[in-house]
Structure formats: structure tokens, C-alpha cells
Amino acid sequence: LYFCFPQMSANDCQDPPEYWTIHGLWPDKTEECNRTWHFNVTEIKDLLSDMRHYWPDVLHSSLNRTQFWKHEWEKHGTCAATLPILNSQKKYFGKALELYQHVDLNSCLLKAGIKPSSSYYQMTVIKEALTRFYGVTPKIQCLPPEKGEKAQTIGQIEFCFTKELQLRNCTALKGESDPMQADLKLGTEELSVCSDTLPTYYPSQVQ
């Protein structure tokens, strides 16, 4: 689930949504499993209204908004499809939308009193609120402070699931690489796991 930032170039982030949207549904440690299984938008035509709303391409202001979904399917969906519950394009995108609705991050943060603001939050306060609400620890990624600034900016909140698609803690096992590190590049900046000690900005104007 991720945001769109002013730091991006002027052509990006057109009419961004003012709510958390989907980035993707990613199986661990696998990429581009079946290069011959190409994305076909007609297979998800029943989902398009929800896809445009909850899974928009906020990074590219193109008329063809299917490019992002094509990328997610070919890089991650073809790997996720080894699970029967995700073994078609309609199942993969449909289940991701279901999980988004189930997690309901926008509502959770509001209930916890965590709202976009011009003042800063402590990262530990945000983490504790999420853990209390979900019973598991998500992974929060931030844009590091810009030169001369002291605060990091929340960019992405990652929830982890078992193969049965039940929420679990996002804790990497010893020696396990992090497949999502730097998966989202914002302009020249890369997201990284948020620091617990830096003040944290949750921007009120996402543009």
C-alpha cells in the first residue's frame, strides 16, 4: 500500500488519490516465473472499476493505465499463480483487492488517530497502533530525509500473509534476503525500512 510524493517529477503523480492504494501482491523470493504467461486485461474486465480506484498507477500519467498491472502480473503474479487460490489473472488481482479491503488500512489509521498532518509522528507510535489493530507487525517503508531535513516520510506499508493468505508478522528469517527492498523507486529516491528514531512525516497533501 503506498503513497505518491511531491518529490517525483512534474509529469508523475497526476490527480493522486488521497488514500492508501495497492502496490502489489508479492510471493517471497520469486520474480518473473513464467515469462510466456502474458497479461491480458480482458481477463480482469469485471474488476476494472475497483482496479482503477484501489490499484491506480500513480507513478505514470499515461492514458494506458494497464502498464502497472501488466508489470505486477508478469513479475509477481506469474509466481503467485503456483498457489491454486491465485492461479489465474482474475484470481490474482481479485484476491489482492479482497485483501486490501480486509486490511482496510485507511480506516485503521484514522481509528488510531493517525492522520495526515504537518506535524511529525514517532515511528514507534505508528508501529504500535498497527500491531495493536492487526495483531501482527507490518513493514513500514519510508523516504529518507531530504538534505537539510530531519524527518523521514512514510511511503509504503507492507503486510505479510501466509500461503493461506492469513496475516502474519513481517519479520525476515535470519539470512533471508528482503525481496521487496527498493522495489519502489520514487524519482531518484528509494524507499527503505523506516528508522524508529527519526521523526516521521505523514503528508497531508499527497501530490
Side-chain angles (χ1 to χ4, degrees), residues 37-41 44 51 55 57 64-78 89 92-93:
W37 195 352
H38 298 299
F39 176 70
N40 180 358
V41 75
I44 58 167
M51 291 286 290
W55 201 330
D57 183 348
N64 178 8
R65 291 291 186 173
T66 63
Q67 216 36 45
F68 182 30
W69 306 333
K70 176 180 186 289
H71 168 79
E72 289 301 309
W73 168 255
E74 290 176 358
K75 185 173 180 181
H76 303 294
T78 56
Q89 291 180 47
Y92 172 74
F93 289 104

Side-chain angles (χ1 to χ4, degrees), residues 25-94:
L25 180 60
W26 308 318
D28 282 346
K29 293 201 281 193
T30 43
E31 287 185 8
E32 296 172 346
C33 293
N34 183 349
R35 287 168 185 244
T36 62
W37 195 352
H38 298 299
F39 176 70
N40 180 358
V41 75
T42 59
E43 290 191 33
I44 58 167
K45 60 182 187 298
D46 299 348
L47 305 174
L48 285 179
S49 171
D50 280 348
M51 291 286 290
R52 288 188 195 105
H53 188 72
Y54 301 118
W55 201 330
D57 183 348
V58 295
L59 296 183
H60 309 102
S61 54
S62 63
L63 290 171
N64 178 8
R65 291 291 186 173
T66 63
Q67 216 36 45
F68 182 30
W69 306 333
K70 176 180 186 289
H71 168 79
E72 289 301 309
W73 168 255
E74 290 176 358
K75 185 173 180 181
H76 303 294
T78 56
C79 306
T82 56
L83 293 178
I85 198 169
L86 300 171
N87 68 1
S88 70
Q89 291 180 47
K90 186 159 188 183
K91 284 185 190 175
Y92 172 74
F93 289 104

